[in-house]
Amino acid sequence: VSIIILVFIVECGLFTVTLLQPISSRFGPRHSCAIGAVSLAVGSLQTAGLASSGWRAWPLFGLALTTTAFGTVILGANLFTVFTAILPKGQEGSYIGINSTVGALARAIAPAVGVYLFVYVHWWMPYVCGAAISATMAVLYLVVDHGDGSKKANDAGALL
């Protein structure tokens, strides 16, 4: 398990150095966040599918790990850029504080929910739920920009 964590960290570092700036520059922060969220969803679904294959799937698990690392870097680096762009000027701190509080609550509750799903529902259910959440985030990133150039906070933006 520790080697998997090390590989994930190294991949995140490599993606940060090599791919983050070109992708963010080409697609912009909003679309980069959507790309990152879709990549996380695909990585979660790959993991769910491969885990049932046993040891034969370990080489393919590297692809799932790479997809997840890519999504983590692209989404994480662009998240606050998108978030602050849609907030009312002068209130960014309050909204970011609320977002951080909700994020901390999710980091505390999600592992317990994941364990429950893994043990009592099905072992692949936490991955499928994670993919659904990531896909929903990708849609919200694209829905927030209505094409009119406005950067006002709205309900979809508050969910980010």
Side-chain angles (χ1 to χ4, degrees):
V1 173
S2 60
I3 191 73
I4 292 172
I5 294 170
L6 178 63
V7 168
F8 184 79
I9 291 170
V10 168
E11 284 181 342
C12 285
L14 290 173
F15 287 143
T16 301
V17 171
T18 59
L19 296 175
L20 178 61
Q21 199 277 329
I23 289 173
S24 297
S25 296
R26 180 177 176 139
F27 297 106
R30 263 176 228 241
H31 289 97
S32 295
C33 282
I35 290 168
V38 167
S39 182
L40 283 174
V42 170
S44 293
L45 290 175
Q46 286 173 327
T47 303
L50 292 173
S52 65
S53 302
W55 287 101
R56 296 182 313 267
W58 275 103
L60 293 175
F61 184 70
L63 179 62
L65 188 65
T66 301
T67 305
T68 304
F70 175 79
T72 300
V73 167
I74 300 301
L75 177 62
N78 288 288
L79 181 61
F80 281 108
T81 303
V82 170
F83 199 62
T84 56
I86 64 172
L87 297 176
K89 295 298 175 200
Q91 295 182 355
E92 294 94 342
S94 328
Y95 281 90
I96 289 174
I98 292 168
N99 183 26
S100 297
T101 302
V102 172
L105 182 63
R107 281 187 291 280
I109 293 173
V113 172
V115 167
Y116 176 82
L117 292 172
F118 189 90
V119 172
Y120 296 107
V121 179
H122 202 282
W123 61 265
W124 48 258
M125 190 55 80
Y127 302 109
V128 173
C129 288
I133 291 168
S134 295
T136 302
M137 285 175 36
V139 170
L140 286 176
Y141 283 119
L142 298 175
V143 168
V144 169
D145 184 10
H146 297 286
D148 60 358
S150 68
K151 295 186 177 186
K152 299 176 189 166
N154 56 30
D155 292 338
L159 289 173
L160 292 176

